[in-house]
Amino acid sequence: MAEADIHLLIVDDDERIRELLRKFLMRNGFWVSIARDADHARKLLQGLEFDLIVLDVMMPGEDGIALTRALRQRIATPILLLTARGETSDRIRGLEAGADDYLPKPFEPKELLLRINAILRRVPQIRSEIDLPKVLHLGPVRYDVGRGELWQGDERVRLTATEAQLMRIFSANPGEAVSRSRLVEELARDGGQAQERAVDVQITRLRRKIESDPKQPRYLQTVRGEGYMLAPD
């Protein structure tokens, strides 16, 4: 997918920041829409599909984390949070709400561009790898390896870009432990931002979509001293 085909939604209550980001990202080949707050973003999302949402946390009314949590109930569009709060606990709140990444303010526009591209690279593409099973069965849930889709019965389970990338990694190594450090590397997390803790949060969220009892995982297991392992039926 070429950058010119990628549609971004920028949500920020600061008009100056909105315009700066819009112009910068358009110069870098993206198609960009902007929203001034959560209500405005919801209206745009009703009629348009986006490839990624860049969302400010500190907005009047419904803040970015609350909006992220609400959007995750119905869409899997990647979300990058912009936050003036740099504490680890605030970043973890964003990940737990369903964000794919976060970028503390102030930031360099080039770093935003790098993070957007890193997230978009994690969005799974349709693959045709003959050496992998086409479908992995996880109890009542099944994972279509080629399409990168998780299903429960006739209903598709929505995955965020990061969750989809985790499933791609695990499905390429069924029954084998994958270290946390390798997951960090493959998820393209930058250094110095509680990387392994962020992976743990993503695993917890993914287990809620796979396991009957996420607290006692059967299919996405923790292998002590080694990492995590997908153990299909």
Side-chain angles (χ1 to χ4, degrees):
M1 184 164 52
E3 287 184 352
D5 298 323
I6 296 173
H7 193 180
L8 307 179
L9 174 61
I10 309 298
V11 188
D12 198 303
D13 63 305
D14 188 317
E15 182 179 2
R16 183 182 64 87
I17 292 177
R18 287 199 307 269
E19 285 302 314
L20 285 173
L21 293 182
R22 183 182 67 81
K23 291 177 181 178
F24 172 76
L25 293 168
M26 288 182 68
R27 284 200 304 269
N28 281 276
F30 294 101
W31 182 21
V32 181
S33 295
I34 56 175
R36 60 185 173 273
D37 55 25
D39 287 341
H40 190 191
R42 288 177 184 277
K43 290 177 182 177
L44 292 177
L45 286 162
Q46 286 177 356
L48 296 170
E49 290 188 3
F50 296 91
D51 297 288
L52 185 143
I53 301 170
V54 178
L55 176 58
D56 185 36
V57 170
M58 300 296 291
M59 296 188 297
E62 185 178 14
D63 66 21
I65 289 179
L67 179 58
T68 297
R69 188 176 295 111
L71 292 177
R72 277 292 168 259
Q73 302 300 314
R74 60 184 186 86
I75 63 173
T77 305
I79 296 174
L80 170 60
L81 291 178
L82 303 179
T83 174
R85 296 175 174 175
E87 291 81 2
T88 299
S89 59
D90 292 310
R91 297 170 181 170
I92 295 301
R93 284 182 61 229
L95 291 172
E96 289 178 333
D100 294 273
D101 202 354
Y102 44 75
L103 181 59
K105 293 180 177 180
F107 56 84
E108 290 292 331
K110 185 175 180 180
E111 183 177 4
L112 174 65
L113 180 62
L114 290 172
R115 286 178 179 266
I116 287 173
N117 286 329
I119 293 173
L120 293 173
R121 283 196 301 270
R122 298 202 298 267
V123 177
Q125 304 297 318
I126 295 178
R127 294 153 34 117
S128 59
E129 298 171 336
I130 59 174
D131 57 330
L132 293 175
K134 294 182 179 180
V135 177
L136 296 177
H137 294 277
L138 311 164
V141 176
R142 69 184 186 280
Y143 178 67
D144 185 318
V145 176
R147 294 182 176 274
E149 295 175 352
L150 193 67
W151 291 81
Q152 184 162 24
D154 295 329
E155 293 189 7
R156 183 175 173 182
V157 180
R158 294 187 181 276
L159 297 173
T160 67
T162 303
E163 291 166 350
Q165 177 70 349
L166 284 172
M167 285 301 300
R168 184 192 67 79
I169 296 168
F170 287 128
S171 65
N173 304 272
E176 298 180 15
V178 182
S179 70
R180 294 163 84 207
S181 60
R182 177 181 166 190
L183 292 174
V184 168
E185 181 180 351
E186 294 208 30
L187 291 176
R189 296 289 181 193
D190 292 343
Q193 295 196 351
Q195 296 174 323
E196 292 196 353
R197 174 66 178 120
V199 166
D200 293 339
V201 171
Q202 301 288 355
I203 293 291
T204 298
R205 285 172 41 198
L206 186 55
R207 278 174 172 160
R208 293 174 188 153
K209 300 181 178 182
I210 293 175
E211 306 285 353
S212 300
D213 184 358
K215 294 183 179 179
Q216 295 184 324
R218 158 66 180 85
Y219 299 104
L220 185 47
Q221 300 177 5
T222 299
V223 181
R224 187 176 299 277
E226 296 188 44
Y228 298 101
M229 177 180 71
L230 189 69
D233 291 328

